[in-house]
Amino acid sequence: MPERMLQFVRVSQETPEKREVATRRADFREIYEEFDPPRARTQASRCSQCGVPFCQVHCPLSNNIPDWLKLTAEGRLEEAYEVSSATNNFPEICGRICPQDRLCEGNCVIEKGFESVTIGAVERYITDTAFEKGWVKAGTPKSENGLSVGIVGAGPGGLAAADMLRRQGYAVHVYDRYDRVGGLLIYGIPGFKLEKHIVLRRWKLLEDAGVVFHLNTEIGRDLSFEALRRRHDSILIATGVYKARDIGGPGAGLPGIVPALDFLTASNRQGLGENVPEFLSGALDAGGKNIVVIGGGDTAMDCVRTAVRQGAASVKCLYRRDRDNMPGSIREVKNAEEEGVEFVWLSAPEAFLGDATVTGVRAARMRLGLPDASGRQSVEQIEHSHFNIPADLVIKALGFDPEDLPVAFGEPALGVSRWGTLKVDHKSFMTSLPGVFAAGDIVRGASLVVWAIRDGRDAAAAMHAWMKQHATVAVAAE
Ligand SMILES: Cc1cc2nc3c(=O)[nH]c(=O)nc-3n(C[C@H](O)[C@H](O)[C@H](O)COP(=O)(O)OP(=O)(O)OC[C@H]3O[C@@H](n4cnc5c(N)ncnc54)[C@H](O)[C@@H]3O)c2cc1C
């Protein structure tokens, strides 16, 4: 029976079941179970179908959420998938890892008083069902248009653009320095948030559509940027941001203090069946150790929860602000706490202890001060508040900055902002070089998957418009 909408007054919010803590601590599988069909329909029917849907307004992809919720409630799942995939190339990924509490669900009108519709879980259910039923097809174009694009970076930004441009008949070549497709989706984000087969099946679909991947190819090292430009009618740079912010102070260079992405990449590679030497030697393995993670963002949350799963003796997260002022998702903090992570709020490292290797962190207590120009409260150290935390492995998760791309690409005319991100024209998405576009974290700075997808789609549309005017072969796919 189709469900009637506006059921939030009668039906309470239910999220998909979480797996038992004891079992989920022991593996890297996703922690949320799938909705069963009746529950997905009932939960979708809670939507109030508002005239101005704030969920949609606050979704970077402007997903038509009320419509696909209604179609789900009515059991019209194939149509729900069509509506959902019309604005999002990878809805099953966003359904899993978007911080919905800050985006669509956080702005759901019934959130105040009734708790929001569980939009992310329904999005995931729709797309997983679509995959099961075979409704998700490769985006093979009807005809080739004779033009070719080169995309640097196979993360969500580059892949979304590749999908859009291939559907329009371009020969699409994606270059990545890694050996697998997905960028941070494959080597950054752990399997307990996003299982790897979800990313790998998108890779296969893109290949089935005719996208050509040139892996183990670093632009600027294995192939020059200049040569790349000669090969293609236009270029998209979607290289992300990878330069880890570092920490100073006495002992900061001791062995046993490692960057977050080294730790996560080693863990993800192990999970993909590789033998990673740094993991096998113990250098990047948290098993049996006291772990201290420094930072309060998504990366820090992924590190603490990875360390738990590797069998750490203890896991502490040191963050200089408090729970209400951390950049990471509160949902992930709750998950981490359930799994046994201890948060040491309002504390910042001062020095690292140890001789041959790190044995502890000396930290100081902090207090929140007055808000700065952005409204964020500053932090001040409390005098004489030092304390020591034992640590066998310290993981630095302090954020990322862009690499120096004009230098890496040997292209000084490539314009960058004062933060080192690529400058693009906000309408044309073009960089300072004609025919060279950019998208994702390399433009925004470290951001979200959903924004990378949005940028990839926008850049693809801008590249199409530009090539129609400037490329030498007529665009046949009009
Ligand atoms: C640990 C971690 C957890 C995160 N968790 C979440 C989350 O839960 N939800 C969320 O929405 N966001 C999350 N993010 C952020 C999200 O992953 C990024 O915003 C997103 O992946 C950016 O996409 P992108 O395509 O711009 O870049 P990336 O995903 O970084 O992909 C860039 C690609 O470019 C390649 N590349 C770089 N330089 C070159 C070169 N010279 N030649 C060839 N290839 C190159 C890289 O190998 C990489 O594959 C997380 C980030 C991290 C680090």
Side-chain angles (χ1 to χ4, degrees):
M1 275 287 289
E3 299 273 358
R4 286 167 47 213
M5 301 306 284
L6 281 90
Q7 296 300 314
F8 63 93
V9 279
R10 190 176 63 81
V11 179
S12 323
Q13 185 199 58
E14 278 181 43
T15 50
E17 311 275 307
K18 274 196 232 178
R19 294 167 58 219
E20 286 294 324
V21 170
T23 48
R24 74 183 204 231
R25 274 174 59 107
D27 64 37
F28 281 84
R29 286 188 36 226
E30 285 174 13
I31 69 163
Y32 293 99
E33 304 286 3
E34 187 81 90
F35 268 147
D36 56 29
R39 198 180 297 182
R41 279 159 78 150
T42 311
Q43 285 297 305
S45 76
R46 295 182 68 244
C47 172
S48 65
Q49 300 282 289
C50 348
V52 180
F54 288 99
C55 54
Q56 181 170 10
V57 172
H58 288 270
C59 169
L61 288 162
S62 298
N63 281 340
N64 195 342
I65 297 165
D67 280 6
W68 48 254
L69 287 173
K70 186 163 190 292
L71 289 165
T72 305
E74 291 171 354
R76 294 159 64 188
L77 277 188
E78 191 165 0
E79 290 160 86
Y81 171 68
E82 264 168 40
V83 176
S84 148
S85 59
T87 51
N88 188 352
N89 304 71
F90 314 122
E92 75 287 9
I93 294 178
C94 290
R96 286 171 161 83
I97 59 166
C98 263
Q100 288 100 2
D101 49 352
R102 283 189 266 146
L103 299 171
C104 52
E105 294 180 15
N107 290 282
C108 173
V109 166
I110 63 167
E111 210 263 338
K112 297 271 171 291
F114 293 94
E115 296 194 299
S116 65
V117 180
T118 47
I119 298 167
V122 176
E123 184 181 38
R124 173 184 160 186
Y125 165 76
I126 295 169
T127 326
D128 285 355
T129 308
F131 270 101
E132 260 168 52
K133 302 269 185 198
W135 302 332
V136 186
K137 301 270 190 290
T140 317
K142 289 196 184 75
S143 59
E144 305 290 330
N145 69 14
L147 297 175
S148 123
V149 294
I151 296 179
V152 192
L159 294 183
D163 188 25
M164 301 305 284
L165 289 164
R166 183 64 197 136
R167 284 171 194 271
Q168 287 172 295
Y170 291 91
V172 177
H173 292 257
V174 181
Y175 300 80
D176 203 292
R177 61 184 173 189
Y178 285 159
D179 54 349
R180 288 188 178 89
V181 163
L184 288 171
L185 302 177
I186 194 89
Y187 287 138
I189 298 173
F192 51 80
K193 277 168 49 183
L194 176 66
E195 283 176 17
K196 300 301 159 192
H197 69 92
I198 307 283
V199 185
L200 299 178
R201 75 182 172 192
R202 281 290 174 187
W203 176 5
K204 165 130 194 355
L205 272 173
L206 287 164
E207 277 188 336
D208 290 350
V211 173
V212 181
F213 289 99
H214 305 259
L215 300 178
N216 298 308
T217 307
E218 180 167 334
I219 302 304
R221 193 192 65 184
D222 304 311
L223 180 66
S224 75
F225 186 64
E226 199 195 348
L228 186 76
R229 287 185 78 188
R230 280 199 304 271
R231 276 190 193 181
H232 301 290
D233 294 292
S234 78
I235 299 289
L236 177 70
I237 303 175
T239 46
V241 290
Y242 283 85
K243 199 167 81 187
R245 288 189 194 136
D246 214 345
I247 195 163
L254 280 170
I257 305 174
V258 299
L261 211 50
D262 290 6
F263 175 67
L264 293 173
T265 304
S267 175
N268 278 315
R269 282 190 180 279
Q270 278 293 126
L272 282 157
E274 292 179 32
N275 287 324
V276 181
E278 297 83 359
F279 183 84
L280 297 175
S281 71
L284 293 176
D285 178 5
K289 295 179 185 162
N290 294 308
I291 306 299
V292 173
V293 176
I294 300 169
D298 283 331
T299 306
M301 296 310 106
D302 288 351
C303 289
V304 288
R305 298 178 66 204
T306 296
V308 166
R309 282 158 177 79
Q310 290 180 354
S314 72
V315 184
K316 291 190 171 59
C317 181
L318 205 64
Y319 182 54
R320 62 196 183 130
R321 292 190 161 85
D322 61 7
R323 191 191 191 91
D324 295 335
N325 288 284
M326 64 178 294
S329 159
I330 291 299
R331 182 180 64 186
E332 297 304 306
V333 176
K334 276 194 207 140
N335 287 335
E337 282 175 334
E338 286 168 11
E339 290 165 10
V341 174
E342 188 188 324
F343 284 85
V344 189
W345 302 115
L346 290 165
S347 303
E350 275 209 331
F352 298 92
L353 313 173
D355 295 324
T357 179
V358 73
T359 55
V361 179
R362 199 161 90 106
R365 301 270 177 217
M366 313 297 281
R367 70 173 147 243
L368 293 174
L370 293 171
D372 62 16
S374 72
R376 198 157 188 230
Q377 279 174 284
S378 60
V379 278
E380 298 159 5
Q381 187 174 319
I382 301 173
E383 274 182 52
H384 312 300
S385 64
H386 310 291
F387 62 102
N388 291 348
I389 311 176
D392 309 307
L393 183 65
V394 175
I395 301 170
K396 301 176 282 186
L398 300 151
F400 302 93
D401 289 314
E403 283 155 72
D404 190 341
L405 270 199
V407 169
F409 282 3
E411 186 47 88
L414 191 57
V416 293
S417 71
R418 64 190 159 113
W419 299 279
T421 48
L422 285 187
K423 266 192 195 162
V424 292
D425 177 281
H426 288 296
K427 282 205 178 111
S428 70
F429 287 82
M430 195 143 74
T431 64
S432 52
L433 303 175
V436 177
F437 299 76
D441 280 5
I442 190 59
V443 177
R444 291 181 179 274
S447 179
L448 292 174
V449 168
V450 66
W451 278 115
I453 297 173
R454 166 70 195 262
D455 290 350
R457 293 172 67 90
D458 285 349
M463 290 164 82
H464 178 57
W466 186 84
M467 282 185 283
K468 270 200 302 189
Q469 286 198 342
H470 295 87
T472 45
V473 182
V475 178
E478 286 301 298

